[in-house]
Amino acid sequence: AAEAETARLAEEKRLAAEAETARLAEEERLAVEAEAARLAEEKRLAAEAEAARLAEEKRLAAEAEASRLAEEERLTKERKLAEETEAARLAEEKRLADEELARKMAAESKIVFDTNALAERAAVEAKAAAERAAHTNDEADITRAKFLEQRANAQSAIAAKVLAAEVDALKAKAATEVRFAEQRSAAQAMITKEKRKIYDPDSATVSGSIGSADQQMIGSDKAAKERETADALAYQEAEQANRRGNKHLEVKEWTMAVKEYEKAVKLAPRNATIRNNLAVALYTIMDFSGAKTQIEIAIDIDPQNVIAWAKKGDIETIMNEYREAMNSYKAGLVLDPSDAACQEGLRKCIVQIEEKAAAHAKEQADNRISELRAAALAQAAAQAKVKEEIKATEERAAAKGRAQAESRIAELKIEAAKLAEKKRVAAAEGKAKAESRIAELKIEAVKLAEKKRVAAAEGKAKAESRIAELKIEAAKLAEEKKAAEQLERRLAEEARLAEEARLAEEARL
């Protein structure tokens, strides 16, 4: 009976130990699987968040670009409409001013509204009025001749300014195109020269007096070894010049650094690192065109260099070439989506484009307001001149007759009233357009601010939700750990009690 009881207790103890071991192994397996699942879930969520962030940045960049293009198109339409309105206004003023002369010149079939035609017509009218005034010696004709002469001078000045502005614009455009073409040609020639392996057959052949194939092979091997030795020496000298340039760059001796890097480039023209260093030095001394040329050659040599793409974007940004800079930063992000320099450069470039568009819109609004003010001042001057003519006519009316003077005064008053009405209408239209444009800009600014606020709020909410989930998971793990510790203590206590019972039973037996 004792042996049977002992065997039974041993079997029960073995089975309990096996069950406990299996349970602990299962719990450990489940914990490992849960940890692996948690890590996989965190990795998946991080990947989704990164993809969502990149997609959001891409969407915002696309929206900014579309907004910029839409703004440019809208501004172009507004400018075209303003030009057409201004042209119509000038045409209407010209028609009203030439009604009396148009009745006398029946042979004229139409009125040419371009600037040169207006100037020529005004000169002809002024000449005719001057001849008539000289012939009649009448005060009214003299006044009219002076007025037409001043108008002809103004039209001639406007025509000359327009022509000069067009000529200057064409010259500037041609000079810019020539300069860009020269820069592109120089860069292309440099790249082609570096890509092409220049080889002079005459320098690599042995003299014809040798004659045999063995001697020619020996001469070729010797020339090849000499070229390899010369290339190795040139590379070593280039590395030394590059190190000297780095030392000069560290102590801010920019000019000396540029000279050393240029020596290194001449010795090793296919070294992308030296080209990149030369671009940095040229950028430091504000030679942005040269820096851009060198960084483009470095990228042509090593297109996978993310740092070179970022530096190219920085150079194009400082040169106000924002679209090219955006393309450079995007090319760098294609190679390394996590590159901080390209991400920051792209963000700054988008901000610069938005600020430039806003400044351009403000400048156009200011220019339009200035034009309206100038037109108002011109109309005020014309009105003042009409008033002076009225006063002079009133003084001459005492000598020539009250009836003729009163008739002339009435005509001048009518003209003054028309000019005042035109001034009022123009001022009202200009003010309404300016207020409308300011309101549109304010609405656009509010929309942009709201978009930024919504994006920030969404990001904050996602972060808080993820933090809460992590806290819950941590609490669950703590509870599981606490339960496992309690189970270990309970099992230890049961094992102790079983051992005491076994010892007591053995003592009893």
Side-chain angles (χ1 to χ4, degrees):
E3 289 176 355
E5 183 67 19
T6 302
R8 184 182 65 80
L9 292 174
E11 183 67 17
E12 289 180 354
K13 184 177 180 182
R14 184 181 64 78
L15 293 175
E18 289 178 356
E20 183 65 20
T21 302
R23 187 183 63 79
L24 292 174
E26 182 67 16
E27 289 181 354
E28 185 177 1
R29 184 182 64 79
L30 293 174
V32 170
E33 289 180 355
E35 182 66 16
R38 184 181 65 80
L39 293 175
E41 182 66 17
E42 288 183 355
K43 186 176 181 180
R44 184 183 65 80
L45 292 174
E48 289 179 355
E50 182 66 16
R53 184 182 66 78
L54 293 175
E56 182 67 15
E57 288 182 355
K58 185 176 180 181
R59 184 183 65 79
L60 292 175
E63 288 181 356
E65 184 69 13
S67 176
R68 184 185 65 77
L69 294 175
E71 180 68 15
E72 288 182 355
E73 184 178 359
R74 186 181 63 79
L75 292 174
T76 303
K77 290 181 179 179
E78 287 184 356
R79 184 168 59 252
K80 185 177 180 182
L81 180 61
E83 290 175 355
E84 290 176 355
T85 305
E86 186 68 14
R89 184 182 66 80
L90 292 174
E92 182 65 19
E93 290 182 358
K94 177 67 171 60
R95 187 184 63 80
L96 293 174
D98 292 342
E99 279 183 355
E100 184 177 356
L101 294 175
R103 287 193 300 269
K104 296 179 182 179
M105 302 177 67
E108 184 180 359
S109 60
K110 62 179 179 178
I111 300 175
V112 183
F113 290 100
D114 60 276
T115 309
N116 294 328
L118 286 174
E120 292 176 0
R121 182 61 182 275
V124 171
E125 292 173 357
K127 184 177 179 181
E131 292 177 355
R132 181 179 176 182
H135 181 69
T136 60
N137 200 17
D138 185 69
E139 291 291 335
D141 292 336
I142 293 172
T143 302
R144 182 173 180 76
K146 290 181 179 179
F147 174 73
L148 292 175
E149 184 181 359
Q150 292 177 357
R151 190 181 66 175
N153 294 333
Q155 292 291 351
S156 299
I158 292 171
K161 288 181 180 178
V162 170
L163 182 59
E166 291 179 356
V167 171
D168 292 340
L170 291 174
K171 287 182 179 179
K173 184 177 180 181
T176 303
E177 291 178 354
V178 169
R179 181 169 58 84
F180 285 163
E182 290 177 352
Q183 291 179 356
R184 286 195 298 269
S185 299
Q188 189 64 32
M190 185 179 295
I191 292 171
T192 305
K193 183 178 178 180
E194 291 173 355
K195 284 182 176 179
R196 186 184 300 122
K197 296 294 185 180
I198 300 175
Y199 179 72
D200 186 5
D202 295 334
S203 63
T205 58
V206 186
S207 176
S209 60
I210 298 177
S212 65
D214 294 335
Q215 290 173 340
Q216 290 179 359
M217 185 178 295
I218 293 170
S220 298
D221 292 340
K222 184 178 180 181
K225 289 181 180 179
E226 290 177 354
R227 284 197 300 273
E228 290 177 359
T229 304
D231 292 339
L233 293 174
Y235 183 80
Q236 291 178 358
E237 292 178 1
E239 287 295 329
Q240 292 175 1
N242 184 40
R243 286 193 291 270
R244 291 195 299 271
N246 293 336
K247 291 181 180 180
H248 288 303
L249 199 64
E250 290 176 358
V251 296
K252 299 181 179 181
E253 294 176 356
W254 319 121
T255 305
M256 297 299 296
V258 169
K259 291 181 179 179
E260 293 297 334
Y261 288 140
E262 288 178 346
K263 291 179 183 178
V265 165
K266 290 179 180 179
L267 294 170
R270 299 294 297 172
N271 192 313
T273 303
I274 296 175
R275 294 277 186 181
N276 198 357
N277 293 339
L278 178 57
V280 172
L282 292 173
Y283 177 87
T284 307
I285 64 174
M286 301 181 72
D287 184 3
F288 303 122
S289 178
K292 185 177 179 181
T293 301
Q294 294 301 323
I295 205 69
E296 287 176 348
I297 296 173
I299 291 173
D300 185 75
I301 296 171
D302 184 12
Q304 304 298 322
N305 193 340
V306 180
I307 298 175
W309 283 109
K311 178 56 65 178
K312 182 173 181 289
D314 295 340
I315 295 170
E316 290 166 342
T317 300
I318 203 69
M319 296 175 70
N320 295 329
E321 298 175 356
Y322 297 113
R323 292 185 180 179
E324 291 80 359
M326 287 181 66
N327 294 331
S328 299
Y329 291 132
K330 289 177 181 178
L333 291 174
V334 168
L335 298 173
D336 184 6
S338 62
D339 187 71
C342 290
Q343 292 177 354
E344 183 65 15
L346 182 60
R347 184 188 66 78
K348 290 182 179 179
C349 192
I350 292 173
V351 171
Q352 288 289 337
I353 290 173
E354 292 176 351
E355 291 178 355
K356 187 177 180 181
H360 183 64
K362 184 177 182 298
E363 182 180 2
Q364 285 190 338
D366 294 339
N367 290 337
R368 181 56 184 163
I369 292 172
S370 300
E371 290 174 1
L372 293 173
R373 286 177 178 173
L377 291 173
Q379 289 180 354
Q383 188 176 4
K385 186 175 180 180
V386 170
K387 289 181 179 179
E388 292 177 0
E389 290 183 1
I390 291 172
K391 185 177 179 181
T393 305
E394 287 176 350
E395 292 175 354
R396 291 193 302 268
K400 291 191 174 183
R402 177 65 64 180
Q404 184 179 0
E406 289 178 355
S407 175
R408 181 58 181 166
I409 289 169
E411 292 176 358
L412 292 174
K413 286 183 177 179
I414 292 171
E415 292 180 1
K418 289 180 180 179
L419 287 173
E421 182 65 20
K422 288 180 182 178
K423 178 183 176 181
R424 185 185 63 78
V425 171
E429 291 178 354
K431 183 177 180 182
K433 288 181 180 179
E435 291 177 352
S436 175
R437 180 58 185 155
I438 292 170
E440 290 177 359
L441 292 174
K442 287 182 179 179
I443 291 170
E444 291 177 0
V446 170
K447 288 181 180 179
L448 288 174
E450 182 64 21
K451 285 182 181 178
K452 291 181 180 178
R453 186 187 64 77
V454 170
E458 290 178 355
K460 184 178 180 182
K462 289 181 181 178
E464 291 178 351
S465 175
R466 182 58 186 161
I467 291 170
E469 292 176 358
L470 293 174
K471 287 183 178 179
I472 293 171
E473 291 181 0
K476 288 181 180 179
L477 290 175
E479 288 293 331
E480 291 177 358
K481 183 178 179 181
K482 184 176 180 182
E485 291 176 353
Q486 290 178 357
L487 180 61
E488 289 178 357
R489 288 197 296 272
R490 182 172 62 79
L491 290 175
E493 183 65 21
E494 289 178 357
R496 186 182 63 78
L497 292 175
E499 184 67 20
E500 289 179 355
R502 184 182 65 78
L503 293 174
E505 183 65 21
E506 289 179 356
R508 184 179 64 79
L509 293 173

